[in-house]
Amino acid sequence: MTRHRPVRSRAIPAVWMRGGTSKGVFFRADDLPSDPLLRDRLLLRVMGSPDPYGQQIDGLGGATSSTSKVVVLSRSSRPDSDVDYRFGAVAVQQPLIDWSGNCGNLSAAVGPQAIRLGLVANVPQDGIAWVRIWQVDIGRRILAGVPMQDGEVLEEGDFELDGVTFPAAEIELRFLDPGGEGTLLPTGALTNQLLVPGVGALEVTLLNAGIASVFVAAEALGLRGTESQAELNAQPQLLAQVEAVRAAAAVAMGLAATPAEATALRPHSPKLTVVAPPTASRSADGRSIPAEAVDVVARTFSMGKAHHAMTGTGAVALACAAAVPGTVVQRLAVLRQPGQLCVAHPSGSCKGACGSGLMSLQTLLHQREVAA
């Protein structure tokens, strides 16, 4: 046993919150060191990383990509926003916090916490408070509809989300212009051929919407697409292949200079999702999901492991890709309702709107046709 000299503790206000199918520790920026190195060192210690045992027992992290997350909030100086929001994906076994992307699930908790911190003006006593969020890391705006009652955030409710045990109040999120200007298709193509060492040639769709994303047909990786999280995570060779594809895609998207850099410094993004056509599957809690009840089957990988449900930002990207003819997702999906995509994931299913992504992509493609 190694003995360490006692260190005087420091009290820092923080809140541990769930948002969607994720949990994270929320801080106010003013309460953290301004030096990024000192800030990250402090946040790593709070979460219990790096932990060679992979459990984060001595910290607030939950030893999974869904529960090892930090959020930093501050009052926004932008006239179109109330709060600036930064998200950090904390590696469990590495001394690394990846600030390169967003967490769509934790975005649902940003509005309530911003209201509690007094960062939002003109909050109604009752009804819906619309919180204007600026996601600093990706430069995108999000609107969060937070239910209020007697001047307080309403937490109790009957909204149910697959992957979460108990119901709660519903937070409506609107991702405004999820792809931004000219960045939805980083390579300019609806599909790309990636030559990945140890895997071979793969057809993928590379998309910036919600979060930088890589979509590949499950069949191309020898998968059905309906595997459980445990089945996927029990295959180290598969996880290594998935990471090799993700890292190669990061280079193709201009997000990293080399695959090694993508693996070492950008484990959070881009996200890789394997997709399959509507197929009967079973959720983690034992429920049957009929093929006719969904439009597409998806399994997302996050921080090197299979995700237990569906990332919020990944769902945005998936919906955008499904709306555009020619993408890997669109060719496999069966859209039963215009503008809506129902996705089967390991914990059940979820729905998302794909209209805004379609409009942005059509505008981008039209601009390229005119320029040509």
Side-chain angles (χ1 to χ4, degrees), residues 104 175 178-179 207 209-211 213 215 310-322 341 352-354 356-357:
F175 294 86
L207 192 74
I211 194 168
S213 298
F215 296 106
M310 171 56 64
T311 63
T313 49
V316 173
L318 192 67
C320 289
L341 182 74
C354 46
S356 61

Side-chain angles (χ1 to χ4, degrees), residues 31-47:
D31 295 323
L32 296 174
S34 57
D35 184 320
L37 291 177
L38 295 177
R39 176 203 63 204
D40 284 13
R41 186 184 304 169
L42 171 64
L43 295 176
L44 283 165
R45 183 63 190 90
V46 167
M47 301 305 290

Side-chain angles (χ1 to χ4, degrees), residues 87-121:
F87 165 72
V90 183
V92 176
Q93 295 179 290
Q94 299 172 261
L96 173 70
I97 302 179
D98 188 344
W99 299 95
S100 67
N102 181 31
C103 174
N105 280 297
L106 283 189
S107 296
V110 170
Q113 182 60 4
I115 291 173
R116 292 193 184 98
L117 290 175
L119 302 177
V120 184

Side-chain angles (χ1 to χ4, degrees), residues 43 53 85-87 98 106 116 145 154 184 262 268 274 299 303 334 339-340 344 347 353 361:
L43 295 176
Y53 304 103
Y85 155 44
R86 296 207 65 194
F87 165 72
D98 188 344
L106 283 189
R116 292 193 184 98
L154 181 64
L184 277 161
H268 174 66
V274 299
R299 299 295 187 261
M303 301 291 280
V334 178
Q340 290 287 325
S347 290
L361 275 169

Side-chain angles (χ1 to χ4, degrees), residues 86 229 250 266 285 295 360:
R86 296 207 65 194
Q229 180 193 29
R266 289 190 66 112
D285 61 357
D295 301 320
S360 298

Side-chain angles (χ1 to χ4, degrees), residues 17-24 64-67 69 103-106 108 161-165 307-312 345 347 350:
M17 295 184 71
R18 177 185 69 79
T21 58
S22 292
K23 287 192 294 189
T64 70
S65 67
S66 299
T67 56
K69 300 181 173 185
C103 174
N105 280 297
L106 283 189
L161 181 65
D162 285 348
V164 178
T165 305
H307 195 277
H308 73 104
M310 171 56 64
T311 63
H345 55 73
S347 290
C350 61

